[in-house]
């Protein structure tokens, strides 16, 4: 979604801003802009619809020479995708960028009868309020504090004014802002990836705080303007992680690097010799683990599907605990009841998803312990949970989530393994899972390498269809859902995931020879039942692609891709990597913007 960059220092601000905005491109956006203040304290602004490359063309015509500025990538919420609606917005003596949504902007606008608005955005209304306060002779800091106090909704803002040169004032509520502290320079960003290569030291602004930034200082205040002490934290990651590393797209890079990232997820957390798993972060006492009776897993999209798959494993490993998996956007408004001894796992790659964050806060209100299963270090969810685990998948740049899914499932599985141990669970099952986890990175690597060319070839064939069904049973069901989501996100093909057993309850009505079906079939006690569904689809002219670990069983389908692996329980994770390749190559075949699919944003920070 929207991204913010700000800079004050010795470098030409325009270059740092454009570079930072490019780093934020992956979040999804439809227009962009920068505003700078030159050394004669004259402001300059450039905005454009479309990609940063378009903005660069505009800037190239009139380069901006100043050393202070703010930049923004906009994902339209209020008002269409136009240059006038793009940020930064300028009202009176205020230049401002904003992430989030001002829910009461209409009310606020009604109070500003004398302002001639140039855009349809909620942002311009807030800028006008700041300007109004500022015009009364207060400092920029006081003007911002006074204005944001009136806001209902969410904001991350960066503001400058030629009347107070040399400073940028930032504030946040529900929308992340990180202030990178460099040598004689300060870089502001809504996402740590924009800071990499400039500095590793950063101040993470909390909700309800504002900061006055200059090239050599950061002063943080609460909204009552009480000065707060600040801690700098170290940003993780390096530049190589946010570059394509020789791949055509981040999506392919992230699919192919899963073996490596999974090593990081597992590192120090499994003990194959003793057949045990352990996570350090949950901060649960042995008594809390023993008492645990109910686990609720919360997430959106792929994170939800990761939770769903993990819940099947939890039911096996800790049968005395009830596991519930919920979609965050629904759960946050339900009158849900949490029994005593509940722990909530809050699953999010970005750690910023608005609905997931809202659930976390609702669950906390009800007194249950919250544990994060989060990838982005220092993200809002990671900061607000009671404990949890980082999944250590590294920066995921492509909008479609791949390696984070694998890491999330594995992290939750290790959590279940640890609890199972305390609950006196089935030792040989815990050990089997541990042994499988130990070899999973190698098996993922083997699967991806062995079947890469086949999936590419199959993608060429199936890219011609407009509709697809993904079907799976038991632990293959969540990955059928995930496979369909991945395909629709990047290829724009219509794809639906179903439990195979549901086929006859409706979806089979769709099947004819214009459809193709992906069957995720596990070589287990449910094999024959899964094959039944395949026959029914074939009998109706459907075109079936089977992904399976059954190496020697007869399967009558258009195409069959067989994985030969000693792994049994975790086969769905392997099959899913094939689905990821299929989605990727279908999208490439159809000429889509693979890493930034239309209409999507990497982290959905608004409802
Ligand atoms: O950052 P999160 O894990 O909280 O994001 C949740 C979903 O928005 C995300 O998984 C989305 O479904 C992806 N685009 C899937 O590829």
């Amino acid at each position: 979604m929207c991204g913010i960059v700000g800079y004050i220092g010795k470098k030409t601000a325009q270059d740092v801003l454009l570079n930072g905005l490019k780093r934020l491109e992956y979040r999804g956006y439809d227009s962009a802009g920068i505003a700078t203040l030159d050394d004669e304290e004259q402001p300059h602004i450039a905005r454009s619809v479309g990609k940063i490359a378009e903005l660069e063309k505009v800037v190239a015509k009139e380069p901006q020479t100043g050393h202070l500025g703010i930049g923004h990538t906009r994902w339209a919420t209020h008002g269409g995708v136009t240059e006038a609606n793009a940020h930064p917005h300028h009202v009176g003596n205020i230049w401002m960028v904003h992430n989030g949504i001002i829910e009461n902007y209409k009310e606020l606008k009604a109070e500003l009868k004398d302002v001639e608005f140039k855009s349809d955005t909620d942002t311009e209304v807030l800028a006008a309020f700041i300007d109004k306060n500022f015009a009364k002779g207060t400092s920029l800091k006081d003007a911002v504090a006074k204005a944001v106090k009136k806001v209902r909704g969410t904001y991350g803002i960066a503001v400058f004014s030629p009347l107070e040169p040399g400073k940028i004032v930032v504030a946040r509520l529900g929308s992340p802002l990180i202030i990178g502290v460099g040598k004689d320079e300060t870089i502001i960003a809504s996402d740590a990836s924009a800071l990499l290569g400039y500095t590793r030291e950063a101040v993470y602004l909390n909700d309800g705080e504002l900061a006055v930034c200059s090239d050599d200082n950061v002063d943080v205040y609460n909204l009552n303007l009480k000065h707060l002490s600040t801690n700098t934290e170290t940003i993780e990651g390096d530049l190589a992680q946010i570059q394509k590393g020789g791949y055509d797209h981040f999506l392919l890079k992230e699919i192919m690097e899963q073996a490596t990232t999974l090593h990081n997820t597992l590192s120090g957390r499994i003990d194959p010799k003793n057949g045990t798993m352990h996570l350090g972060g949950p901060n649960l006492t042995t008594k809390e683990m023993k008492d645990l009776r109910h686990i609720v897993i919360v997430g959106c999209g792929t994170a939800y599907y990761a939770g769903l798959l993990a819940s099947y494993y939890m039911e096996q490993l800790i049968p005395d605990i009830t596991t519930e998996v919920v979609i965050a956007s629904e759960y946050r408004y339900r009158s849900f009841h949490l029994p005593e001894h509940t722990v909530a796992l809050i699953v999010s790659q970005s750690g910023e998803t608005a609905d997931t964050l809202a659930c976390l806060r609702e669950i906390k209100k009800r007194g249950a312990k919250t544990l994060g299963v989060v990838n982005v270090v220092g993200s809002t969810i990671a900061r607000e949970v009671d404990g949890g685990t980082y999944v250590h998948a590294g920066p995921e740049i492509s909008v479609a989530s791949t390696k984070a899914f694998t890491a999330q499932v594995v992290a939750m599985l290790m959590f279940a393994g640890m609890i199972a141990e305390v609950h006196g669970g089935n030792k040989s099952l815990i050990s089997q899972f541990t042994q499988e986890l130990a070899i999973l990175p190698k098996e993922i690597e083997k699967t991806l390498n062995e079947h890469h060319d086949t999936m590419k070839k199959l993608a060429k064939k199936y890219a011609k269809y407009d509709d697809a069904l993904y079907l799976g049973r038991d632990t293959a069901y969540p990955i059928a859902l995930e496979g369909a989501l991945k395909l629709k996100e990047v290829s724009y093909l219509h794809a639906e995931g179903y439990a195979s057993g549901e086929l006859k309850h409706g979806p089979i009505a769709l099947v004819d020879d214009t459809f193709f079906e992906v069957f995720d079939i596990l070589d287990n006690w449910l094999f024959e039942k899964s094959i039944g569904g395949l026959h029914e689809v074939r009998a109706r002219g459907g075109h079936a692609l089977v992904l399976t670990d059954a190496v020697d069983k007869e399967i009558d389908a258009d195409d069959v891709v067989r994985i030969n692996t000693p792994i049994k329980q975790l086969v769905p994770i392997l099959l899913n990597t094939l689905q990821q390749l299929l989605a990727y190559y279908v999208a490439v075949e159809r000429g889509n913007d693979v890493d930034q699919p239309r209409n999507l944003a990497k982290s959905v920070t608004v409802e």
Side-chain angles (χ1 to χ4, degrees), residues 138-156:
T138 59
S139 68
L140 184 59
K141 161 177 73 91
D142 293 15
V144 169
K146 204 165 164 205
V148 295
K149 273 180 166 177
K150 289 183 93 87
V151 167
R152 209 169 54 238
T154 54
Y155 57 81

PDB file of all heavy atoms in Angstrom, residues 138-156:
ATOM      1  N   THR A 138       1.822  29.035  15.855  1.00  0.00           N
ATOM      2  CA  THR A 138       2.428  27.950  16.643  1.00  0.00           C
ATOM      3  C   THR A 138       3.606  27.372  15.855  1.00  0.00           C
ATOM      4  O   THR A 138       3.781  27.670  14.672  1.00  0.00           O
ATOM      5  CB  THR A 138       1.420  26.811  16.882  1.00  0.00           C
ATOM      6  OG1 THR A 138       1.006  26.337  15.602  1.00  0.00           O
ATOM      7  CG2 THR A 138       0.229  27.256  17.689  1.00  0.00           C
ATOM      8  N   SER A 139       4.377  26.539  16.514  1.00  0.00           N
ATOM      9  CA  SER A 139       5.463  25.851  15.796  1.00  0.00           C
ATOM     10  C   SER A 139       4.848  24.753  14.924  1.00  0.00           C
ATOM     11  O   SER A 139       3.698  24.343  15.138  1.00  0.00           O
ATOM     12  CB  SER A 139       6.430  25.225  16.796  1.00  0.00           C
ATOM     13  OG  SER A 139       5.766  24.174  17.462  1.00  0.00           O
ATOM     14  N   LEU A 140       5.629  24.260  13.980  1.00  0.00           N
ATOM     15  CA  LEU A 140       5.141  23.189  13.100  1.00  0.00           C
ATOM     16  C   LEU A 140       4.780  21.949  13.939  1.00  0.00           C
ATOM     17  O   LEU A 140       3.743  21.316  13.722  1.00  0.00           O
ATOM     18  CB  LEU A 140       6.227  22.854  12.063  1.00  0.00           C
ATOM     19  CG  LEU A 140       5.869  21.825  11.007  1.00  0.00           C
ATOM     20  CD1 LEU A 140       4.648  22.254  10.192  1.00  0.00           C
ATOM     21  CD2 LEU A 140       7.059  21.584  10.064  1.00  0.00           C
ATOM     22  N   LYS A 141       5.628  21.649  14.902  1.00  0.00           N
ATOM     23  CA  LYS A 141       5.386  20.491  15.787  1.00  0.00           C
ATOM     24  C   LYS A 141       4.029  20.642  16.485  1.00  0.00           C
ATOM     25  O   LYS A 141       3.210  19.712  16.478  1.00  0.00           O
ATOM     26  CB  LYS A 141       6.518  20.416  16.813  1.00  0.00           C
ATOM     27  CG  LYS A 141       6.246  19.608  18.053  1.00  0.00           C
ATOM     28  CD  LYS A 141       7.450  19.556  18.953  1.00  0.00           C
ATOM     29  CE  LYS A 141       7.755  20.812  19.685  1.00  0.00           C
ATOM     30  NZ  LYS A 141       7.290  21.157  20.959  1.00  0.00           N
ATOM     31  N   ASP A 142       3.774  21.812  17.065  1.00  0.00           N
ATOM     32  CA  ASP A 142       2.520  22.022  17.793  1.00  0.00           C
ATOM     33  C   ASP A 142       1.326  21.971  16.837  1.00  0.00           C
ATOM     34  O   ASP A 142       0.262  21.435  17.183  1.00  0.00           O
ATOM     35  CB  ASP A 142       2.534  23.387  18.506  1.00  0.00           C
ATOM     36  CG  ASP A 142       3.566  23.414  19.627  1.00  0.00           C
ATOM     37  OD1 ASP A 142       4.424  22.521  19.641  1.00  0.00           O
ATOM     38  OD2 ASP A 142       3.516  24.321  20.470  1.00  0.00           O
ATOM     39  N   ALA A 143       1.533  22.513  15.650  1.00  0.00           N
ATOM     40  CA  ALA A 143       0.441  22.528  14.669  1.00  0.00           C
ATOM     41  C   ALA A 143       0.069  21.102  14.261  1.00  0.00           C
ATOM     42  O   ALA A 143      -1.107  20.754  14.126  1.00  0.00           O
ATOM     43  CB  ALA A 143       0.855  23.342  13.442  1.00  0.00           C
ATOM     44  N   VAL A 144       1.091  20.255  14.086  1.00  0.00           N
ATOM     45  CA  VAL A 144       0.832  18.855  13.711  1.00  0.00           C
ATOM     46  C   VAL A 144       0.119  18.143  14.863  1.00  0.00           C
ATOM     47  O   VAL A 144      -0.901  17.466  14.665  1.00  0.00           O
ATOM     48  CB  VAL A 144       2.153  18.129  13.339  1.00  0.00           C
ATOM     49  CG1 VAL A 144       1.932  16.630  13.216  1.00  0.00           C
ATOM     50  CG2 VAL A 144       2.725  18.690  12.046  1.00  0.00           C
ATOM     51  N   ALA A 145       0.635  18.326  16.081  1.00  0.00           N
ATOM     52  CA  ALA A 145       0.042  17.625  17.240  1.00  0.00           C
ATOM     53  C   ALA A 145      -1.426  17.996  17.390  1.00  0.00           C
ATOM     54  O   ALA A 145      -2.286  17.133  17.593  1.00  0.00           O
ATOM     55  CB  ALA A 145       0.817  17.973  18.506  1.00  0.00           C
ATOM     56  N   LYS A 146      -1.706  19.287  17.264  1.00  0.00           N
ATOM     57  CA  LYS A 146      -3.081  19.760  17.443  1.00  0.00           C
ATOM     58  C   LYS A 146      -4.006  19.170  16.369  1.00  0.00           C
ATOM     59  O   LYS A 146      -5.133  18.738  16.647  1.00  0.00           O
ATOM     60  CB  LYS A 146      -3.088  21.290  17.350  1.00  0.00           C
ATOM     61  CG  LYS A 146      -4.237  21.922  18.046  1.00  0.00           C
ATOM     62  CD  LYS A 146      -4.011  23.398  18.231  1.00  0.00           C
ATOM     63  CE  LYS A 146      -5.346  24.032  18.575  1.00  0.00           C
ATOM     64  NZ  LYS A 146      -5.424  25.412  18.242  1.00  0.00           N
ATOM     65  N   ALA A 147      -3.505  19.127  15.147  1.00  0.00           N
ATOM     66  CA  ALA A 147      -4.340  18.639  14.034  1.00  0.00           C
ATOM     67  C   ALA A 147      -4.588  17.133  14.145  1.00  0.00           C
ATOM     68  O   ALA A 147      -5.721  16.677  13.984  1.00  0.00           O
ATOM     69  CB  ALA A 147      -3.682  18.984  12.706  1.00  0.00           C
ATOM     70  N   VAL A 148      -3.543  16.361  14.413  1.00  0.00           N
ATOM     71  CA  VAL A 148      -3.749  14.902  14.401  1.00  0.00           C
ATOM     72  C   VAL A 148      -4.638  14.445  15.561  1.00  0.00           C
ATOM     73  O   VAL A 148      -5.263  13.387  15.483  1.00  0.00           O
ATOM     74  CB  VAL A 148      -2.418  14.098  14.366  1.00  0.00           C
ATOM     75  CG1 VAL A 148      -1.663  14.335  13.088  1.00  0.00           C
ATOM     76  CG2 VAL A 148      -1.549  14.373  15.579  1.00  0.00           C
ATOM     77  N   LYS A 149      -4.697  15.266  16.601  1.00  0.00           N
ATOM     78  CA  LYS A 149      -5.583  14.903  17.713  1.00  0.00           C
ATOM     79  C   LYS A 149      -7.042  14.868  17.268  1.00  0.00           C
ATOM     80  O   LYS A 149      -7.877  14.226  17.895  1.00  0.00           O
ATOM     81  CB  LYS A 149      -5.433  15.919  18.848  1.00  0.00           C
ATOM     82  CG  LYS A 149      -4.304  15.588  19.811  1.00  0.00           C
ATOM     83  CD  LYS A 149      -4.272  16.651  20.864  1.00  0.00           C
ATOM     84  CE  LYS A 149      -3.444  16.270  22.043  1.00  0.00           C
ATOM     85  NZ  LYS A 149      -3.382  17.362  23.005  1.00  0.00           N
ATOM     86  N   LYS A 150      -7.340  15.584  16.201  1.00  0.00           N
ATOM     87  CA  LYS A 150      -8.735  15.630  15.719  1.00  0.00           C
ATOM     88  C   LYS A 150      -9.083  14.436  14.825  1.00  0.00           C
ATOM     89  O   LYS A 150     -10.225  14.243  14.438  1.00  0.00           O
ATOM     90  CB  LYS A 150      -8.947  16.926  14.884  1.00  0.00           C
ATOM     91  CG  LYS A 150      -8.954  18.184  15.724  1.00  0.00           C
ATOM     92  CD  LYS A 150      -9.239  19.387  14.857  1.00  0.00           C
ATOM     93  CE  LYS A 150     -10.692  19.754  14.797  1.00  0.00           C
ATOM     94  NZ  LYS A 150     -11.219  20.611  15.795  1.00  0.00           N
ATOM     95  N   VAL A 151      -8.052  13.659  14.481  1.00  0.00           N
ATOM     96  CA  VAL A 151      -8.258  12.614  13.472  1.00  0.00           C
ATOM     97  C   VAL A 151      -8.859  11.346  14.070  1.00  0.00           C
ATOM     98  O   VAL A 151      -8.413  10.861  15.110  1.00  0.00           O
ATOM     99  CB  VAL A 151      -6.900  12.262  12.807  1.00  0.00           C
ATOM    100  CG1 VAL A 151      -6.997  10.975  12.004  1.00  0.00           C
ATOM    101  CG2 VAL A 151      -6.431  13.403  11.930  1.00  0.00           C
ATOM    102  N   ARG A 152      -9.865  10.804  13.370  1.00  0.00           N
ATOM    103  CA  ARG A 152     -10.347   9.453  13.646  1.00  0.00           C
ATOM    104  C   ARG A 152      -9.900   8.617  12.461  1.00  0.00           C
ATOM    105  O   ARG A 152     -10.185   8.985  11.318  1.00  0.00           O
ATOM    106  CB  ARG A 152     -11.873   9.478  13.747  1.00  0.00           C
ATOM    107  CG  ARG A 152     -12.416   8.424  14.667  1.00  0.00           C
ATOM    108  CD  ARG A 152     -13.882   8.589  14.982  1.00  0.00           C
ATOM    109  NE  ARG A 152     -14.693   8.686  13.768  1.00  0.00           N
ATOM    110  CZ  ARG A 152     -15.470   9.704  13.483  1.00  0.00           C
ATOM    111  NH1 ARG A 152     -15.553  10.731  14.303  1.00  0.00           N
ATOM    112  NH2 ARG A 152     -16.181   9.727  12.361  1.00  0.00           N
ATOM    113  N   GLY A 153      -9.162   7.574  12.711  1.00  0.00           N
ATOM    114  CA  GLY A 153      -8.654   6.761  11.599  1.00  0.00           C
ATOM    115  C   GLY A 153      -7.196   6.440  11.832  1.00  0.00           C
ATOM    116  O   GLY A 153      -6.768   6.283  12.976  1.00  0.00           O
ATOM    117  N   THR A 154      -6.449   6.350  10.748  1.00  0.00           N
ATOM    118  CA  THR A 154      -5.034   5.976  10.881  1.00  0.00           C
ATOM    119  C   THR A 154      -4.185   6.941  10.070  1.00  0.00           C
ATOM    120  O   THR A 154      -4.617   7.453   9.036  1.00  0.00           O
ATOM    121  CB  THR A 154      -4.797   4.548  10.348  1.00  0.00           C
ATOM    122  OG1 THR A 154      -5.290   4.477   9.007  1.00  0.00           O
ATOM    123  CG2 THR A 154      -5.473   3.499  11.199  1.00  0.00           C
ATOM    124  N   TYR A 155      -2.984   7.150  10.547  1.00  0.00           N
ATOM    125  CA  TYR A 155      -2.079   8.005   9.782  1.00  0.00           C
ATOM    126  C   TYR A 155      -0.627   7.692  10.113  1.00  0.00           C
ATOM    127  O   TYR A 155      -0.282   7.289  11.207  1.00  0.00           O
ATOM    128  CB  TYR A 155      -2.352   9.498  10.054  1.00  0.00           C
ATOM    129  CG  TYR A 155      -2.250   9.886  11.520  1.00  0.00           C
ATOM    130  CD1 TYR A 155      -1.009  10.124  12.122  1.00  0.00           C
ATOM    131  CD2 TYR A 155      -3.392   9.972  12.314  1.00  0.00           C
ATOM    132  CE1 TYR A 155      -0.910  10.453  13.470  1.00  0.00           C
ATOM    133  CE2 TYR A 155      -3.292  10.305  13.672  1.00  0.00           C
ATOM    134  CZ  TYR A 155      -2.046  10.537  14.234  1.00  0.00           C
ATOM    135  OH  TYR A 155      -1.954  10.843  15.568  1.00  0.00           O
ATOM    136  N   GLY A 156       0.188   7.848   9.078  1.00  0.00           N
ATOM    137  CA  GLY A 156       1.626   7.999   9.221  1.00  0.00           C
ATOM    138  C   GLY A 156       1.891   9.208   8.335  1.00  0.00           C
ATOM    139  O   GLY A 156       1.522   9.181   7.152  1.00  0.00           O
TER     140      GLY A 156
END
